[in-house]
Amino acid sequence: MRVLVVEDEEIMAEAVGAGLRRHGFAVDVALDGVGGLERALGQRYDVIVLDRDLPGMHGDEVCRRVVAGRTGARVLMLTAAGGLSDRVAGLNLGADDYLPKPFAFAEVVARIDALVRRGAAIRPPVLEIGDLTVDTPRRRVVRGGRAVNLTAKEFGVLAVLAAEPEVVVSAEELLERVWDENADPFTNAVRVTMVGLRRKLGDPPVIETVRAAGYRLLPGPAAGS
């Protein structure tokens, strides 16, 4: 899951970004409204954590343009003004959720998870493909009854593939969806991550490389078969 944090208080922005990365998110940070809008319209994000009071361009205008741009990103708006009228105004702009400052970091994570699930409402939060179970809210993976301990990037790659089994996903798309904007487009990070992921998932293999196209998750044997 890829998240954009738009917050002008640099210490808070970096703290939120670092905390989200520890929870397995790929995170980009913008410190003003103009930069935030450029990233929101130029990159693909699952959720945008958007401060309302921003320099350069007010968060209300950023939200309005993000929604008008049909980016598909869910917007979690943050503000120091927590009154009912402020919450209503933010939601009327198209924000999907609203969180007043100060906030507990655990609540930010929970709300982001909820927004991602809402954005993919047609898919259950726990994905079962053959004998493989991918619990996206808890970031847990089980294969054939055995718990599989994955890194954040390995889990991110698996979650993307598991969302649409048998659909080929290119290395470029995986890099865009699982890594942040600082990832080198010529890096071999996807390949290296895939090697570790396959090794941990074990045999028989469930991830197929489609030459010159990308990767896809195979259905595999059913649990208990």
Side-chain angles (χ1 to χ4, degrees), residues 1-3 25-28 43-46 153 156-158 160-161 169-194 213-215:
M1 289 177 283
R2 192 167 179 185
V3 178
F25 297 99
V27 183
D28 296 329
Q43 303 288 338
R44 177 176 178 175
Y45 294 100
D46 296 291
K153 297 306 183 190
V157 167
L158 180 60
V160 171
L161 296 176
V169 181
S170 70
E172 292 76 14
E173 183 174 354
L174 288 171
L175 192 66
E176 178 184 342
R177 296 179 64 179
V178 181
W179 279 260
D180 61 30
E181 66 180 357
N182 296 315
D184 182 350
F186 301 103
T187 184
N188 64 351
V190 173
R191 182 180 62 81
V192 172
T193 300
M194 194 66 69
Y215 306 91

Side-chain angles (χ1 to χ4, degrees), residues 7-225:
E7 165 63 63
D8 65 314
E9 295 181 21
E10 186 170 359
I11 293 177
M12 177 178 286
E14 293 301 334
V16 171
L20 291 175
R21 292 184 188 102
R22 286 195 296 272
H23 280 77
F25 297 99
V27 183
D28 296 329
V29 173
L31 300 177
D32 59 64
V34 174
L37 182 63
E38 288 177 351
R39 285 176 171 81
L41 297 181
Q43 303 288 338
R44 177 176 178 175
Y45 294 100
D46 296 291
V47 175
I48 299 173
V49 180
L50 177 65
D51 185 32
R52 193 174 184 193
D53 299 312
L54 293 169
M57 180 183 294
H58 196 274
D60 287 359
E61 183 62 19
V62 174
C63 182
R64 185 179 295 110
R65 295 195 189 189
V66 167
V67 173
R70 299 182 182 275
T71 64
R74 298 286 179 171
V75 177
L76 171 58
M77 186 167 279
L78 307 177
T79 183
L84 176 60
S85 60
D86 298 291
R87 294 197 298 274
V88 170
L91 294 171
N92 284 340
L93 288 167
D96 297 279
D97 201 356
Y98 194 100
L99 187 61
K101 298 178 180 178
F103 50 78
F105 181 74
E107 185 174 5
V108 176
V109 174
R111 287 178 182 253
I112 289 174
D113 278 334
L115 288 176
V116 171
R117 291 196 301 273
R118 189 189 307 173
I122 59 172
R123 303 188 193 109
V126 178
L127 304 170
E128 295 185 355
I129 305 95
D131 65 350
L132 179 67
T133 300
V134 182
D135 186 334
T136 52
R138 296 177 178 83
R139 294 175 176 78
R140 295 175 183 168
V141 175
V142 176
R143 174 97 196 267
R146 172 182 61 89
V148 182
N149 185 25
L150 301 180
T151 67
K153 297 306 183 190
E154 289 167 349
F155 182 87
V157 167
L158 180 60
V160 171
L161 296 176
E164 296 182 282
E166 301 187 72
V167 173
V168 178
V169 181
S170 70
E172 292 76 14
E173 183 174 354
L174 288 171
L175 192 66
E176 178 184 342
R177 296 179 64 179
V178 181
W179 279 260
D180 61 30
E181 66 180 357
N182 296 315
D184 182 350
F186 301 103
T187 184
N188 64 351
V190 173
R191 182 180 62 81
V192 172
T193 300
M194 194 66 69
V195 169
L197 176 58
R198 282 172 160 154
R199 176 177 55 80
K200 292 178 181 179
L201 290 176
D203 293 322
V206 291
I207 298 176
E208 178 185 30
T209 299
V210 180
R211 186 167 181 168
Y215 306 91
R216 65 182 169 195
L217 194 67
L218 301 175
S225 64

